[in-house]
Amino acid sequence: MITLIVPTRNRAHTLRLVISSYYLQAGISEIIFVSDAGDDETPAVIEAIAKLHPEISTKLIRNEVRKGAAASRNIGVMNAVNENILFCDDDEYLELGYANTCLQKLEAYGAGAVSGRNVYMMDGETPEAAIKRFGSGLRKTKPFNYLIAELVNGAAYEGDITLPFTHSIILTKREYLLRTPFDPHYLRGNGYREESDYQMRLFLDGHLIYVTNDVHSMHLPRSLVTTGGQRTGLWPRIYWSVQHTRYFFSKYYKDYARIVGLKAPRQLALVAFTIFAVYRETLRPSLHRLAMSYLFRARGA
């Protein structure tokens, strides 16, 4: 069986929208919410849905002081009863079958972690429509940028592939998490690289990380996610992405570069990432809006 762990902080407004998808997952017998010193209506939201699903054990753990998402995940793991752990964010829908499909892949491949594809919803879009629009990806490009150690979430590919790491909605083993827990260093700023850190450790220890096209998680549109690390200002968001990547590279880049065959020195990779981070937060959103506008006009024609 599977334990689902959801770190959260004052996100009752998003949990109301996505929480039912957690309780509809076959194979999940336990759901643990870890509230990071939150003080909103999250307990009431959880209690209301848990009453409708008495067959699933629901736990709400509250940190008295803020510890961050990484520490909250570790707390959830320490309190879990199952060997298989699925992590989800409090602003993500899970497609029906997500948990069981990832577990089947994990066992079939002997993998360290497995995820489905992650889809960012547009305003007014249903989860089903988002999956249909995404298909097997949105653009023809490689799914991973090895120089800057960056997942290309919208890359188009079929079937199941292996990468150094995937996004945050992963199924993994409790024994791995107890041996190499999440690093709480990423508490400050936007928490960038916090989920990648754990997966990179798995990858460097010889475990395969799989992504499958068979199931999806769907991220709520930005208009509905009004709080959290990614809602900080533009330049603080860039600053912390770079600072956390600097720390991430200091831990892993030497071994990572050796395994994947990179010749570039760490400082060059960090410079390349910095340029990418500025582009991603400034120019890319405008280009994306233009591309989507063109796509809709073409479809309308």
Side-chain angles (χ1 to χ4, degrees):
M1 299 300 286
I2 301 166
T3 293
L4 173 62
I5 296 175
V6 184
T8 186
R9 174 177 165 81
N10 290 342
R11 285 273 187 88
H13 58 292
T14 61
L15 274 175
R16 283 193 180 94
L17 299 175
V18 302
I19 195 170
S20 61
S21 72
Y22 306 162
Y23 284 86
L24 297 177
Q25 293 294 314
I28 288 180
S29 65
E30 178 182 55
I31 303 180
I32 300 177
F33 299 90
V34 183
S35 174
D36 195 23
D39 57 6
D40 70 349
E41 297 177 354
T42 291
V45 172
I46 295 170
E47 181 181 8
I49 190 73
K51 286 181 178 178
L52 301 177
H53 298 274
E55 74 282 2
I56 296 177
S57 171
T58 299
K59 299 176 184 176
L60 172 59
I61 301 169
R62 183 180 184 276
N63 301 333
E64 291 301 319
V65 296
R66 191 171 183 183
K67 297 182 179 181
S72 296
R73 284 183 170 88
N74 293 337
I75 290 169
V77 171
M78 294 298 295
N79 286 273
V81 300
N82 292 313
E83 175 57 23
N84 302 298
I85 304 293
L86 174 63
F87 291 104
C88 192
D89 295 333
D90 55 12
D91 54 5
E92 297 266 356
Y93 287 100
L94 293 178
E95 184 180 10
L96 283 175
Y98 191 99
N100 253 348
T101 298
C102 287
L103 179 58
Q104 291 168 12
K105 306 281 186 183
L106 190 83
E107 294 176 341
Y109 293 127
V114 176
S115 82
R117 299 301 301 271
N118 189 235
V119 181
Y120 281 76
M121 298 170 61
M122 300 173 64
D123 286 335
E125 196 171 42
T126 65
E128 295 76 17
I131 292 172
K132 183 178 180 180
R133 171 178 57 82
F134 186 84
S136 59
L138 297 171
R139 52 196 176 106
K140 294 181 179 180
T141 187
K142 294 180 179 179
F144 200 85
N145 186 324
Y146 282 86
L147 176 60
I148 61 176
E150 186 75 12
L151 176 72
V152 184
N153 189 70
Y157 54 86
E158 302 287 343
D160 304 342
I161 65 170
T162 61
L163 298 173
F165 57 79
T166 178
H167 55 80
S168 62
I169 317 303
I170 59 168
L171 189 139
T172 186
K173 292 287 187 181
R174 186 171 184 265
E175 63 177 289
Y176 304 155
L177 292 156
L178 293 175
R179 185 165 64 240
T180 56
F182 285 86
D183 185 343
H185 172 86
Y186 301 94
L187 167 64
R188 296 177 296 171
N190 59 0
Y192 194 75
R193 299 285 186 183
E194 174 251 319
E195 301 97 345
S196 306
D197 188 292
Y198 165 71
Q199 296 180 57
M200 180 63 82
R201 182 70 266 160
L202 284 180
F203 175 71
L204 295 181
D205 285 345
H207 296 284
L208 295 175
I209 312 296
Y210 272 86
V211 188
T212 177
N213 273 285
D214 290 352
V215 285
H216 307 77
S217 57
M218 290 74 70
H219 193 286
L220 290 173
R222 286 178 62 87
S223 60
L224 297 178
V225 186
T226 56
T227 60
Q230 297 304 316
R231 305 304 291 181
T232 58
L234 171 65
W235 293 109
R237 201 159 59 242
I238 294 172
Y239 172 81
W240 283 111
S241 294
V242 173
Q243 290 304 311
H244 287 322
T245 296
R246 184 192 304 275
Y247 174 76
F248 180 78
F249 280 3
S250 73
K251 291 178 67 176
Y252 299 129
Y253 188 81
K254 181 179 179 180
D255 291 336
Y256 161 74
R258 174 179 52 81
I259 290 174
V260 302
L262 282 176
K263 301 299 183 183
R266 187 177 80 190
Q267 289 306 317
L268 178 59
L270 183 61
V271 169
F273 175 80
T274 302
I275 294 170
F276 165 77
V278 173
Y279 159 75
R280 179 183 60 195
E281 298 294 342
T282 57
L283 184 59
R284 191 170 75 174
S286 297
L287 294 176
H288 176 74
R289 285 193 293 270
L290 286 173
M292 295 308 298
S293 176
Y294 173 80
L295 177 63
F296 286 133
R297 286 199 304 270
R299 287 178 175 176

